[in-house]
Amino acid sequence: MKIAFFNQQKQFRKYLEELKQVPIMNYEKSQLREKVSSIEIHNCSDLKELHLQSFFDYHIFPLTILSAYTQWEDEQRTMQAGDTILQQVYLPPFPKFSQKVLFGVRIKEVIHEEKRCGFSYETLKGHVECGISYFLLEETNGKISFKIQTFSKPGNLLTRLLGPVFSLPYQTYCTQKGLKNVRKIIESNLSNQ
């Protein structure tokens, strides 16, 4: 984890190279707190109708919350298991007037099934959280929903101490913004087809 007062985007490639060498945090999924949040995607009932490039490019969260640089973007290809993502999170969520906290996650699985698609990632050592997150688009009973499912615990002493007061409410805020952002992007792509 790195903390900065200025945007670090010019250093993203360097930080990504460093993070590729960092191992994932050890965790036992059954010992972690599970949280599931979802939102329905309107005007669509078939996953095959969706344009998912932005989704698989990790444009989940609004740019006011975080900016990211991915290994597959750096290598000009598509997402695959084992790829690293550098995340620059803004605290508070105002890019120009915030602290920038940088850490990484690694793609565990990329899912392409008939009724379900998405990916999961695990946190790397130094992340503020320890665990795994799933980002899934699912088709059920003629409806499409986007789901964020996390299994996590605080990743360091600071987040253990501040968790109930700051970390958990901020995670909830970010999750809700991520759900709405993905729905907005997908529905916008549907209306432009």
Side-chain angles (χ1 to χ4, degrees):
M1 176 173 69
K2 296 181 188 299
I3 299 174
F5 293 104
F6 300 102
N7 192 323
Q8 298 296 298
Q9 275 185 299
K10 291 181 181 177
Q11 302 296 319
F12 275 9
R13 178 169 274 156
K14 178 185 129 196
Y15 292 152
L16 178 65
E17 286 304 315
E18 292 171 8
L19 284 171
K20 287 182 193 177
Q21 309 308 313
V22 176
I24 62 167
M25 298 174 100
N26 292 325
Y27 66 91
E28 177 58 48
K29 191 172 165 183
S30 64
Q31 302 296 311
L32 302 177
R33 177 180 42 88
E34 179 183 15
K35 185 171 182 184
V36 179
S37 302
S38 66
I39 195 165
E40 186 177 333
I41 307 296
H42 300 117
N43 306 320
C44 184
S45 60
D46 188 342
L47 272 179
K48 295 177 197 104
E49 295 175 17
L50 302 181
H51 177 71
L52 299 175
Q53 183 71 43
S54 291
F55 179 73
F56 282 105
D57 281 344
Y58 190 58
H59 296 168
I60 304 294
F61 300 98
L63 292 173
T64 55
I65 291 176
L66 75 79
S67 54
Y69 190 63
T70 67
Q71 184 174 346
W72 63 93
E73 175 187 356
D74 188 59
E75 297 174 7
Q76 299 179 0
R77 56 175 174 75
T78 59
M79 177 193 290
Q80 62 189 32
D83 280 343
T84 299
I85 303 172
L86 165 69
Q87 300 171 322
Q88 178 176 251
V89 175
Y90 305 114
L91 298 172
F94 307 107
K96 290 185 180 181
F97 307 104
S98 65
Q99 240 179 354
K100 284 65 172 168
V101 183
L102 295 102
F103 36 73
V105 295
R106 185 155 299 124
I107 300 294
K108 179 177 172 81
E109 178 182 21
V110 180
I111 303 157
H112 291 286
E113 299 171 1
E114 186 177 338
K115 302 284 185 183
R116 188 172 80 119
C117 66
F119 58 93
S120 64
Y121 63 52
E122 300 170 297
T123 54
L124 300 182
K125 288 195 176 196
H127 200 288
V128 294
E129 289 293 311
C130 173
I132 184 168
S133 296
Y134 297 85
F135 301 87
L136 300 168
L137 285 157
E138 298 178 320
E139 180 183 328
T140 311
N141 300 323
K143 294 183 179 182
I144 305 288
S145 63
F146 172 51
K147 175 171 75 173
I148 299 176
Q149 180 178 23
T150 59
F151 296 85
S152 67
K153 67 178 182 180
N156 58 41
L157 179 61
L158 184 61
T159 51
R160 275 194 290 278
L161 294 173
L162 295 177
V165 177
F166 179 75
S167 296
L168 293 176
Y170 192 70
Q171 282 178 330
T172 300
Y173 169 82
C174 292
T175 297
Q176 292 305 310
K177 290 292 187 182
L179 291 169
K180 291 175 184 174
N181 190 57
V182 168
R183 179 171 69 184
K184 178 181 166 191
I185 291 169
I186 290 174
E187 289 178 357
S188 173
N189 287 336
L190 281 169
S191 64
N192 291 332
Q193 290 179 354

